[in-house]
Amino acid sequence: MDLLLQLLIQGLGSGALYALLGLSFGIIFNTTRVFHFAHGAIFSLGSYVVYLSVAVLGLPLVLAMAVAACATALAGIACELLLYRPLRRRGAPPLLWFLASFAVLIIAQNVLLLIFGGVPVTLTSGAIASVRLFGVRVSELVLWKAAAGGSAAAAVALLLYRTRLGKELRAIVSNPEMARIAGIDLDRSYLVAYAIGSALTVPAGAIALFDQGVSPDLGETPLLIATVAVFSGGIGAFMGGALGGLLLGLIGSVAIYWTNSSFQMTISIGVLTIFLLLRPSGLLGIKMRRV
């Protein structure tokens, strides 16, 4: 029973981190309808900026994360200004958007590989300390994941439901054309979505530096997790990505109770894929409209 409780706590921690990834990708995808492959490269970029800021410049971790958030936000804005906006104005077909974003991912990964090499970098040289919680021992990393995911979800919820900007983003998701007619500047909103979504990758990237380390292709798995979280949570529902990510973490962690940990992610994605086959609109059931 203690093992199951420990797995549930670890699942909540992992789920909170996956929820953060779902929020970061969901803000961009739900607002712009662009499958932003380059999001994976931006995740890796933010992690490396945190690493350089701490290991080379000697900045405190919090300040390093702030610097990385600015860098990733600018990278996201650059993707919109230099890639997606020209494609949008030229009426490019969806396949071209898909290929262009994938190309950015590949190019960015290879640039990072040339600069930093393929050996993962970390910010810790020893084991992560553990704490006793509800009678079981869990890694402090689990608490960091829960704090990062919970704080991000609360901040995004406040932004979406308590600010004018949030109302504009929700209006765009609901009906882009009506939002444009109502006077909402779609170009500005897209820039904001890319900036916020990109900056939200930083806490997850910083945690990776204390966990498995960071390499140029690190962003591929978070991109997959974020995609599954957003689609299972419900396309068009900003907080759906958080809910989908939380379930992804819980399912994978609890699955270890009956099977090998090597199948953790496979089981999680498999279960949610079956769920999507039965309910294509996702948990929150909000259908996506075409731009």
Side-chain angles (χ1 to χ4, degrees):
M1 197 64 185
D2 286 347
L3 176 60
L4 183 59
L5 178 59
Q6 186 176 36
L7 291 174
L8 282 172
I9 295 174
Q10 290 176 349
L12 285 172
S14 297
L17 189 67
Y18 297 165
L20 174 58
L21 296 173
L23 282 172
S24 69
F25 185 74
I27 286 177
I28 295 172
F29 181 79
N30 288 322
T31 304
T32 67
R33 306 293 195 269
V34 175
F35 197 94
H36 184 43
F37 265 114
H39 197 62
I42 290 176
F43 180 95
S44 298
L45 172 66
S47 302
Y48 276 115
V49 172
V50 172
Y51 173 77
L52 291 175
S53 298
V54 173
V56 178
L57 300 180
L59 298 180
L61 181 60
V62 174
L63 184 55
M65 290 173 64
V67 172
C70 293
T72 52
L74 289 174
I77 289 172
C79 287
E80 162 63 12
L81 290 177
L82 302 178
L83 182 65
Y84 301 129
R85 184 168 297 181
L87 291 174
R88 188 181 301 113
R89 289 179 175 174
R90 293 173 183 173
L95 179 59
L96 185 56
W97 291 68
F98 185 88
L99 292 175
S101 185
F102 186 71
V104 172
L105 171 64
I106 299 301
I107 293 170
Q109 284 182 343
N110 280 277
V111 170
L112 291 175
L113 182 62
L114 287 172
I115 296 174
F116 298 102
V119 179
V121 297
T122 67
L123 286 177
T124 180
S125 57
I128 301 295
S130 62
V131 296
R132 183 166 291 278
L133 190 65
F134 301 115
V136 297
R137 304 292 299 185
V138 295
S139 170
E140 285 186 354
L141 203 60
V142 174
L143 302 183
W144 297 354
K145 293 176 180 179
S151 300
V156 170
L158 286 174
L159 170 70
L160 292 174
Y161 299 101
R162 289 291 185 269
T163 67
R164 178 181 177 82
L165 174 61
K167 293 178 181 178
E168 290 180 354
L169 293 177
R170 288 187 288 121
I172 292 172
V173 171
S174 177
N175 194 321
E177 289 305 318
M178 287 301 297
R180 189 194 304 272
I181 293 172
I184 296 176
D185 187 341
L186 295 187
D187 286 341
R188 180 181 66 85
S189 297
Y190 291 158
L191 286 176
V192 170
Y194 278 105
I196 295 174
S198 299
L200 282 174
T201 64
V202 171
I207 289 174
L209 283 166
F210 292 91
D211 193 2
Q212 76 269 32
V214 172
S215 58
D217 61 350
L218 174 68
E220 293 178 0
T221 299
L223 178 63
L224 174 62
I225 292 171
T227 302
V228 174
V230 169
F231 277 77
S232 60
I235 298 173
F238 284 110
M239 302 308 293
L243 181 58
L246 184 61
L247 289 176
L248 190 63
L250 283 172
I251 293 171
S253 186
V254 173
I256 299 176
Y257 191 74
W258 292 281
T259 186
N260 193 293
S261 60
S262 302
F263 299 100
Q264 180 179 8
M265 188 57 64
T266 303
I267 292 174
S268 299
I269 294 177
V271 169
L272 291 180
T273 300
I274 293 172
F275 169 77
L276 284 173
L277 291 174
L278 300 174
R279 185 182 172 86
S281 57
L283 288 165
L284 301 186
I286 297 177
K287 294 182 179 180
M288 182 177 66
R289 295 174 182 264
R290 187 175 292 180
V291 176

